[in-house]
Amino acid sequence: MTSSAEATDAYIRRIEEYRKRRDEFFKSNENSPLLPEQRERFRGLRYYPVKPEYRFVVELQRDGVSQERVILGTTTGEPKEFIVAGRVTVEIEGKPVTFTVYREVGRGRYFMPFRDATAGSETYSVGRYLDPQETPDGKLVIDFNMAYNPYCAYNDRWTCPIPPRENIVDVPIRAGEMAYPDYVSVTEQEKPSGPMPLIGG
């Protein structure tokens, strides 16, 4: 029988292995969001230490949620449509905090953009994203150790949804990805012609 300590150690190793794979993708994959010069300098993404207490399994609260389509603003002003799936409440630093969870139109994937009190100092100023996973019994896994930056945190070739007002919280969530130190702004002459790539997560 697996002990609680063994399960915790296995969880931490799983998150750390995921982070290593993500670094490899950013460094070497042709679909990396980094510009060629950024990839040459790349030494790994920055993360908070893995904290199992920032993983929650909670009910998706659908009461009073009409599943309507809503428009979220983006970093370039282009609208991005999502479906409101419901709300979740977790306890951070002893304080209950509620977030709105969305579904991507077409794909149906859960999506939770948020901004916490670390934004602009320790984490990306616009906010971060989470992709909640559904359990077999219909609950959602909200794991802030898996919080990640939108591609706009690395350079301005991307269009990224901005966390809505209801997902801006005044508590620090020191888990997941931290701010990227090698941001690059592409000049208008260097930007590709046509619409900018859209990245929602």
Side-chain angles (χ1 to χ4, degrees):
M1 185 174 180
T2 303
S3 69
S4 177
E6 288 173 334
T8 297
D9 289 344
Y11 167 76
I12 292 173
R13 285 196 302 271
R14 189 166 69 249
I15 297 294
E16 290 175 342
E17 285 299 321
Y18 165 76
R19 292 176 176 181
K20 289 179 182 177
R21 292 194 302 272
R22 200 157 179 259
D23 277 351
E24 291 170 3
F25 170 82
F26 272 67
K27 175 70 176 177
S28 305
N29 195 286
E30 62 180 13
N31 294 316
S32 168
L34 301 182
L35 300 169
E37 62 266 29
Q38 290 178 297
R39 290 165 64 178
E40 290 178 5
R41 298 189 295 262
F42 184 72
R43 294 295 181 269
L45 300 173
R46 298 170 62 239
Y47 293 96
Y48 291 104
V50 181
K51 300 174 183 175
E53 66 270 24
Y54 277 83
R55 180 185 185 273
F56 305 90
V57 181
V58 296
E59 297 281 354
L60 179 63
Q61 304 155 14
R62 295 185 172 90
D63 293 345
V65 176
S66 62
Q67 306 283 314
E68 75 272 24
R69 293 193 179 196
V70 296
I71 300 295
L72 297 186
T74 68
T75 50
T76 57
E78 301 168 23
K80 172 72 170 170
E81 192 174 51
F82 290 90
I83 298 169
V84 178
R87 297 179 181 87
V88 293
T89 300
V90 299
E91 189 171 293
I92 304 289
E93 301 288 327
K95 178 180 179 179
V97 184
T98 299
F99 298 93
T100 296
V101 177
Y102 300 88
R103 276 190 183 274
E104 292 189 345
V105 176
R107 296 175 65 185
R109 184 181 67 165
Y110 287 111
F111 176 60
M112 197 183 94
F114 71 96
R115 184 161 81 236
D116 67 280
T118 67
S121 55
E122 300 170 24
T123 62
Y124 180 46
S125 59
V126 174
R128 292 179 289 165
Y129 296 163
L130 263 183
D131 300 330
Q133 303 298 308
E134 192 168 16
T135 65
D137 61 356
K139 294 182 179 180
L140 287 189
V141 177
I142 307 293
D143 189 347
F144 289 101
N145 293 292
M146 300 289 284
Y148 61 95
N149 288 334
Y151 281 2
C152 298
Y154 312 117
N155 57 68
D156 58 2
R157 290 187 63 249
W158 307 95
T159 296
C160 307
I162 298 171
R165 185 179 301 275
E166 61 264 30
N167 282 4
I168 298 174
V169 298
D170 60 1
V171 297
I173 302 177
R174 293 188 168 93
E177 188 175 354
M178 301 177 72
Y180 187 64
D182 188 27
Y183 176 86
V184 171
S185 180
V186 183
T187 66
E188 289 300 323
Q189 290 76 20
E190 293 173 328
K191 287 182 181 177
S193 60
M196 297 180 71
L198 179 70
I199 180 70

